[in-house]
Amino acid sequence: MKTICTLLFFLSLSMAVAAQEKPKKGFISVGIGPSISLSSSQSYISNGQNTPPPQYFTPGTLGANVTLLEAGYVFPSKIGITLKWSGTAFIKTKETELSNGNIETLNAEKGVGSIAIGPMYSFALTPSLNLDIKARIGRMYLSKETSKSYSDGSNSSSSSKGIGLGGEFGVGIRKHFARKWSWMTGIDLQGARNGIQLNTSFGIGFRY
């Protein structure tokens, strides 16, 4: 009987502590997922001249993105702020037989880096499930490298870089599986002068 009373005491104490605990308003997360290009990259400035590069990364090209860091905080009004640091990579390899019988091997890489910040609206679908609507604006960095090698032993290469202003709009879901931890998933439409892409991510977040 004494053991039962002791267990009931600690159970009621833990429930009281849980009831007094403040709701988690902030989160920090990381994630990874596939990306898809929705438009061809436009021309951009390289070495002081407008250079329209060949469009190797056409709509439908698949890539991968990494959310290096996403942080958010929700105020009592359900309006919050979110910051995201991410990177996306597209790689394309292709072999083509030319009219002279030479075999051309193409290796092209495109990278997009982004640091963006903006408002977020968050509301609870259930006590353990949150839906976040986000809009961000920030700096985006583009790099493209292309190399071609031929069966006759010749080769060529080129590279371009650019920095500009871009934005993204997305929706995310946070599923809380522990007091301070959540599964994270989301989708973002990201666009800038160098093109538009759709990024999806899956990861884990820490709540505070």
Side-chain angles (χ1 to χ4, degrees), residues 6 13 18 27 40-41 44 49 56 59 70 72-73 86 90 106 108 129 164 171-172 198 200 204:
T6 303
L13 182 61
F27 66 87
S40 299
S41 297
Y44 48 91
Q49 297 180 347
Y56 300 124
E70 182 178 3
Y73 189 86
S86 63
F90 295 90
L106 166 72
L129 189 67
V171 176
L198 191 68
T200 60
I204 190 170

Side-chain angles (χ1 to χ4, degrees), residues 155-179:
N155 58 75
S156 64
S157 63
S158 63
S159 62
S160 298
K161 297 179 181 180
I163 298 177
L165 188 66
E168 55 189 35
F169 177 81
V171 176
I173 292 178
R174 293 180 286 135
K175 173 62 178 178
H176 316 312
F177 65 88
R179 188 168 63 91

Side-chain angles (χ1 to χ4, degrees), residues 114-172:
S114 171
I115 298 180
I117 189 171
M120 171 178 65
Y121 181 77
S122 178
F123 56 94
L125 299 176
T126 70
S128 62
L129 189 67
N130 279 80
L131 176 66
D132 303 326
I133 302 174
K134 315 164 190 177
R136 289 181 284 253
I137 189 170
R139 299 287 282 179
M140 295 190 181
Y141 170 82
L142 170 72
S143 66
K144 295 181 76 173
E145 296 183 2
T146 304
S147 64
K148 295 180 181 179
S149 59
Y150 301 88
S151 55
D152 63 4
S154 61
N155 58 75
S156 64
S157 63
S158 63
S159 62
S160 298
K161 297 179 181 180
I163 298 177
L165 188 66
E168 55 189 35
F169 177 81
V171 176

Side-chain angles (χ1 to χ4, degrees), residues 172-204:
I173 292 178
R174 293 180 286 135
K175 173 62 178 178
H176 316 312
F177 65 88
R179 188 168 63 91
K180 292 187 177 182
W181 296 95
S182 305
W183 295 118
M184 314 283 290
T185 183
I187 184 168
D188 293 292
L189 182 65
Q190 186 181 68
R193 180 171 176 262
N194 51 49
I196 302 173
Q197 58 198 30
L198 191 68
N199 300 328
T200 60
S201 64
F202 306 89
I204 190 170

Side-chain angles (χ1 to χ4, degrees), residues 39-84:
S39 70
S40 299
S41 297
Q42 300 177 11
S43 62
Y44 48 91
I45 296 176
S46 176
N47 298 325
Q49 297 180 347
N50 287 323
T51 305
Q55 302 302 333
Y56 300 124
F57 302 100
T58 54
T61 302
L62 294 178
N65 80 90
V66 176
T67 300
L68 300 170
L69 174 68
E70 182 178 3
Y73 189 86
V74 183
F75 302 104
S77 60
K78 296 183 180 180
I79 300 294
I81 188 170
T82 174
L83 169 71
K84 187 176 181 181

